[in-house]
Amino acid sequence: MTIPLVNLKRQHQSLGAEIRNAIESVIDRGDFILGRETAAFEEEFAAYCGAKHCIGVGNGLDALTLALKALGIGPGDEVITVANTFVATAVAIQHTGATPVLVDHDPDNYNLDPKLLPIALSPRTRAIVPVHLYGRCADMDSINEFARSHNLYVIEDACQAHGATYKGRRAGSLGHAAAFSFYPGKNLGGLGDGGAVVTSDLAVANHLRSVRNYGSTVKNHHAVRGYNSRLDSIQAAVLRIKLRHLEAWNSRRCQLAKLYRNELCDAQLTLPSDDGHEDHVYHLFVVRVANRDAVLARLKGQGIECGIHYPTPVHQQPALGEDFRLPHCPVYTESFCHEILSLPICPFTEESEVQAVARELISALDASDVRAAEPMLY
Ligand SMILES: *Cc1c(COP(=O)(O)O)cnc(C)c1O
């Protein structure tokens, strides 16, 4: 038995012929870069998110970097984000020349704790990048209210939250701009790299359409010093097909999350908090356990592939260097990183697989070598 964290093979088996036909039509047409499929996907994804514009780019990191730059963020500026995130969030801020200011997350929902914004604020603060981590939207009302009162931009890192909603509105429509990644394992993923910025600001959208394509919207005229970061037509064609399944896939993820909750309700671990709303799209189902590494190893021995998102807080990554500010010690980030465990979940995970993972996890927690360590205290 092997249970992968994400089963892309089954996803592509289920869509096989449709995807191959779409790719073949791009090959027949030959409009590989910024072709008809890219324009159609951009329109459909903007509409899906409830925003006016979508600009396809090369990947999620570029989406974050270019969105920040489009809003004028650069050297001398500070951007507040959360320490428990993928390294891309912080590195994108650094790529603009600005300084990331990293705060802790709310221990209940793993997202940026808005109560910490005042201590992170400085005269240089220009923007906040909330991350909708694991597929759950950050506390956007509090973040937007703080941003409004201090004249800051809000750029959503929605790379794990395709289709997640906050008070009835979708991720991607909750700030000035939002960055998405279409890395294959995301809730909406292509057959390679891809990304997009979603915004309702026409000036930002126009700027990005030019900047992603060598600063050019008219052939051979380069208005600004641009980049080459484009969502190619084959990826867009595949994403258009998958977008039509995203709602059903996200509901399936919610169903499986519910099953995990039922199976694990008596286990010695911390489940993701559940406020009863179906706004979470469970990109990841993350639990916390004592003696995590022993549990992880034992599950691996049983053919169950789990993940850790993320084992090293970004401020401890060598990539960040000295170019960040830590206004306080992010205690939850630094302690939870030793306990978090991402269990297999994707729309193609079977109920029987969830039950098997839960069973093996419970027996791993009961094993004496695993129980030996005292639970962490905060
Ligand atoms: C995946 C991810 C990114 C980066 O996306 P890429 O397409 O891999 O560059 C950024 N932020 C978060 C939170 C992510 O999960």
Side-chain angles (χ1 to χ4, degrees):
M1 170 180 80
T2 2
I3 303 178
L5 187 62
V6 179
N7 200 325
L8 289 178
K9 205 176 262 179
R10 281 186 200 151
Q11 188 199 54
H12 293 126
Q13 274 160 2
S14 87
L15 300 173
E18 208 181 347
I19 284 187
R20 281 178 181 79
N21 289 340
I23 293 174
E24 238 169 73
S25 355
V26 177
I27 296 173
D28 290 343
R29 222 169 23 247
D31 60 345
F32 296 106
I33 300 296
L34 298 182
R36 185 201 288 180
E37 294 286 343
T38 304
F41 172 73
E42 288 175 337
E43 210 161 288
E44 290 161 8
F45 193 61
Y48 176 78
C49 294
K52 289 194 181 130
H53 315 282
C54 166
I55 304 91
V57 296
N59 52 65
L61 173 63
D62 284 1
L64 281 164
T65 309
L66 298 179
L68 287 161
K69 288 181 80 135
L71 289 164
I73 310 299
D77 296 336
E78 287 186 353
V79 178
I80 303 170
T81 191
V82 64
N84 181 33
T85 183
F86 182 53
V87 71
T89 321
V91 162
I93 295 166
Q94 291 184 327
H95 279 318
T96 70
T99 302
V101 178
L102 303 163
V103 299
D104 213 354
H105 59 83
D106 181 329
D108 244 22
N109 61 27
Y110 302 100
N111 280 324
L112 191 151
D113 185 346
K115 288 193 297 299
L116 300 168
L117 290 170
I119 63 159
L121 189 73
S122 89
R124 295 175 164 217
T125 311
R126 294 284 311 282
I128 306 170
V129 180
V131 182
H132 306 318
L133 201 69
Y134 308 149
R136 188 201 311 256
C137 286
D139 178 359
M140 294 306 290
D141 279 353
S142 308
I143 292 167
N144 280 327
E145 191 186 308
F146 185 87
R148 245 189 318 275
S149 61
H150 295 92
N151 209 16
L152 311 174
Y153 289 118
V154 174
I155 298 99
E156 301 168 71
D157 181 339
C159 290
Q160 300 191 359
H162 317 70
T165 55
Y166 178 81
K167 301 189 177 174
R169 285 161 59 207
R170 283 227 171 85
S173 68
L174 306 169
H176 295 95
F180 286 90
S181 162
F182 305 122
Y183 180 83
K186 307 287 182 174
N187 286 31
L188 178 63
L191 301 180
D193 278 312
V197 179
V198 168
T199 182
S200 288
D201 184 324
L202 180 62
V204 168
N206 285 340
H207 179 76
L208 286 166
R209 283 190 196 290
S210 161
V211 155
R212 69 164 171 189
N213 187 33
Y214 293 107
S216 172
T217 45
V218 179
K219 200 170 171 66
N220 289 324
H221 178 69
H222 301 273
V224 292
R225 195 179 302 152
Y227 296 84
N228 176 1
S229 184
R230 301 173 295 215
L231 180 67
D232 68 69
S233 309
I234 286 183
Q235 296 309 330
V238 172
L239 291 169
R240 284 186 77 196
I241 294 168
K242 293 194 185 186
L243 180 58
R244 298 199 274 272
H245 298 274
L246 184 57
E247 282 297 281
W249 287 347
N250 282 344
S251 328
R252 169 73 179 165
R253 285 174 185 269
C254 288
Q255 265 176 16
L256 295 175
K258 209 166 177 182
L259 184 57
Y260 266 130
R261 286 180 192 287
N262 289 340
E263 298 287 319
L264 294 171
C265 62
D266 295 325
Q268 286 298 307
L269 51 70
T270 309
L271 289 165
S273 66
D274 182 14
D275 57 10
H277 297 299
E278 285 295 290
D279 52 359
H280 199 317
V281 291
Y282 292 99
H283 172 59
L284 295 166
F285 190 88
V286 176
V287 297
R288 295 205 318 277
V289 297
N291 216 348
R292 191 264 323 276
D293 293 339
V295 172
L296 183 70
R298 215 186 131 102
L299 290 173
K300 193 172 178 205
Q302 303 294 320
I304 296 167
E305 194 186 279
C306 295
I308 304 172
H309 300 86
Y310 293 90
T312 308
V314 288
H315 58 282
Q316 292 170 359
Q317 292 286 0
L320 272 276
E322 307 276 298
D323 307 322
F324 66 88
R325 201 159 68 74
L326 214 53
H328 73 129
C329 177
V331 285
Y332 292 117
T333 303
E334 291 187 1
S335 56
F336 285 10
C337 69
H338 303 291
E339 306 179 340
I340 45 178
L341 184 67
S342 309
L343 305 182
I345 193 165
C346 81
F348 296 86
T349 306
E350 308 272 2
E351 270 94 352
S352 61
E353 291 175 319
V354 167
Q355 285 160 337
V357 172
R359 202 165 50 237
E360 293 300 334
L361 177 53
I362 289 166
S363 78
L365 290 166
D366 286 343
S368 55
D369 57 328
V370 166
R371 212 172 25 192
E374 286 294 312
M376 306 252 322
L377 298 169
Y378 315 111

